[in-house]
Amino acid sequence: PSCRTRESARAVCASVTGAPMQAAGAAPPPPGPPLPPAEAGRPRWNRAARAAAKAQDTSEPWAESSSSTAAPPAVVTLAQVSVAAAAVPPPRPVPPEQHCPICLDEVGEAPGGEAGLLCGHRACSHCVVEYVRSQVGSGRVGAEDLCCPLPECRLAFSTVLLASLLSGSEDREQLHARLLDFQAQRFMPEAADGERFVTCPTPGCGKLLLPVEVAEAKEVVTCPLCSGAFCAGCCEPAHTGLSCEAAELQRMDPQLRRMMERESWVRCPSCRNLCDRESGCNFMTCPSEECQSKTHFCYLCGELLAASDHAAHYEGFEGSVGRMGPFGSVCANKRIADESLPEKPPPPRLSVVVGEEEGSIALRVTFGEHRSEPPTIYYRLLLTVPGTGEEKSLRAGVHEPHFDLKPGRVAQKYRRYQAAVTPVNINGTGPTSETSEVVHFHPRELSSGGVRSDSAVAAPAPKPKRWNAR
């Protein structure tokens, strides 16, 4: 790069800053007015000086002055900023979405018009009615279910809005009546009300609303409809002198009692309905009409639990370490571990079924009925080829009654197979079952005892004739 002389550099600086630069050897400029004694040691333009200069200066801020001394910049206070910000008009509201969140079409094109949701989101009236119909058909009629379909909103529909939408035709009025019936059946008073619903045991009667103290004390009440006396605790006929459990054992069928003991059924501590655990952990959720999947209890001790006790009820006490938490056999009230292994399961059954893809087949392993305590977590499936010593081992869950194997490395078509299962729980491995019968993994087995699904295997197309007859 070329070098500039000192004079050219001074000229550039003067053009940029607007002030001449003192040349070397030139006389210094005359000194300015002396600072006041109080201003010595301080910056020239402090807050007081700026305010005084602003009061004396009548020109616009930062305007060029004819005097040799430039005016100080004006100071804008916080109050002036607030007033200026308030004077700015607010931003225009964003126009609502023109498309229905359910059908994704423009709301104006819908035949029924707009639904008029209280939250301001636009949706087709017909789409909202069908949305409500789907929720009612699934039994979800609470305020958290009948709400705006947008996930970020979820504002509940009001009763006036539902009555307006579900009117105008016989079909909609029937849907509204069904919705009100569902809501009446599933209505539960708030905990702060101090009341509880009890059901009269007489067939055809309804429910009564009683104080919580009467239900917890298990007092005998009289139904105002049928004049029948029953216990407010178990909602069964009055049993003076006997507890609810003892009276229930007297009324129970002996065969049902033996089945309860054999199947290890337990009762929900809230609604007293029988619950069966097929597999999984000991944290139970009651799905009955009264509890509505809002009641949790322990399968081992029967104590009512909160949602936060899913792990806390099974940990934090002596003997809980290494017991698999809620999947184990101990809890805070039952600390004696059950170290038994699973019982020997029945042999599985092999069959050839229609596969998921069109024209395919699968080898199905159907498990026999098997229960043990602690429950079985999974099966070890042993698939063998008779007469060859070839074995394939894999893991199968116990939540489904069967396990399908697609043609591949584990199960190859046109070969014969046998199977055996070994149950596994938290304590270890149980005895292996007997071997199943031999099944040929071939499409023709579908017509000779194989299980067919809803879709049928496409029949092979007939081969074209090589010669045409004349």
Side-chain angles (χ1 to χ4, degrees), residues 319-451:
S320 63
V321 179
R323 293 297 176 183
M324 300 288 291
F327 292 91
S329 58
V330 294
C331 66
N333 299 325
K334 183 184 177 183
R335 304 190 180 186
I336 301 177
D338 185 1
E339 300 181 356
S340 59
L341 297 174
E343 299 179 358
K344 183 177 181 179
R349 183 172 62 89
L350 294 181
S351 58
V352 181
V353 297
V354 177
E356 297 180 356
E357 300 178 359
E358 184 178 0
S360 65
I361 59 175
L363 183 63
R364 172 167 295 181
V365 183
T366 304
F367 306 114
E369 186 176 357
H370 173 246
R371 294 179 180 273
S372 61
E373 290 295 335
T376 301
I377 302 177
Y378 64 91
Y379 287 126
R380 288 179 182 172
L381 177 61
L382 183 64
L383 198 65
T384 60
V385 180
T388 62
E390 182 180 347
E391 297 180 351
K392 298 288 185 179
S393 179
L394 62 154
R395 179 172 173 173
V398 297
H399 300 283
E400 299 294 335
H402 53 76
F403 183 76
D404 290 348
L405 294 171
K406 298 180 180 179
R409 295 183 178 180
V410 178
Q412 301 177 5
K413 291 198 301 184
Y414 313 117
R415 304 189 70 179
R416 300 181 183 273
Y417 289 100
Q418 284 181 308
V421 293
T422 303
V424 180
N425 66 0
I426 58 172
N427 297 322
T429 303
T432 305
S433 68
E434 301 293 337
T435 308
S436 67
E437 297 182 357
V438 179
V439 170
H440 191 197
F441 192 16
H442 197 282
R444 65 187 178 194
E445 294 293 328
L446 284 170
S447 59
S448 59
V451 180

Side-chain angles (χ1 to χ4, degrees), residues 196-282:
R196 180 183 299 178
F197 267 126
V198 294
T199 305
C200 178
T202 304
C205 265
K207 298 181 179 180
L208 307 179
L209 197 60
L210 298 178
V212 176
E213 295 78 8
V214 175
E216 292 180 350
K218 301 179 181 180
E219 299 181 6
V220 177
V221 296
T222 303
C223 178
L225 299 178
C226 64
S227 301
F230 65 95
C231 175
C234 62
C235 299
E236 295 293 342
H239 45 81
T240 306
L242 293 176
S243 63
C244 296
E245 291 75 11
E248 183 182 10
L249 291 177
Q250 287 186 356
R251 296 190 304 267
M252 189 180 299
D253 188 0
Q255 295 184 0
L256 178 60
R257 188 187 311 172
R258 289 192 295 268
M259 182 180 295
M260 289 178 56
E261 296 176 355
R262 183 176 66 253
E263 302 293 339
S264 301
W265 292 345
V266 297
R267 288 190 178 276
C268 173
S270 178
C271 63
R272 303 297 299 169
N273 283 323
L274 291 173
C275 297
D276 180 23
R277 181 192 62 177
E278 295 181 353
S279 60
C281 68
N282 296 312

Side-chain angles (χ1 to χ4, degrees), residues 22 84 97 104 136 145 229 233 245 249 296 351 365 369 390 465:
Q22 181 181 357
E97 294 291 339
L104 303 180
V136 173
D145 302 316
E245 291 75 11
L249 291 177
H296 312 289
S351 58
V365 183
E369 186 176 357
E390 182 180 347
K465 295 182 178 181

Side-chain angles (χ1 to χ4, degrees), residues 95-120:
E97 294 291 339
Q98 302 295 330
H99 294 83
C100 174
I102 300 177
C103 66
L104 303 180
D105 290 336
E106 291 189 5
V107 179
E109 298 180 356
E114 187 177 351
L117 303 183
L118 300 180
C119 57

Side-chain angles (χ1 to χ4, degrees), residues 14-101:
S15 64
V16 173
T17 60
M21 189 173 182
Q22 181 181 357
L35 293 174
E39 300 281 336
R42 297 184 181 180
R44 180 177 179 85
W45 295 108
N46 57 8
R47 185 173 298 178
R50 290 172 185 268
K54 179 182 177 182
Q56 296 177 1
D57 188 14
T58 58
S59 60
E60 296 183 0
W62 297 285
E64 294 184 358
S65 177
S66 60
S67 61
S68 59
T69 304
V75 178
V76 181
T77 62
L78 183 60
Q80 294 174 344
V81 174
S82 301
V83 172
V88 177
R92 300 180 61 184
V94 180
E97 294 291 339
Q98 302 295 330
H99 294 83
C100 174

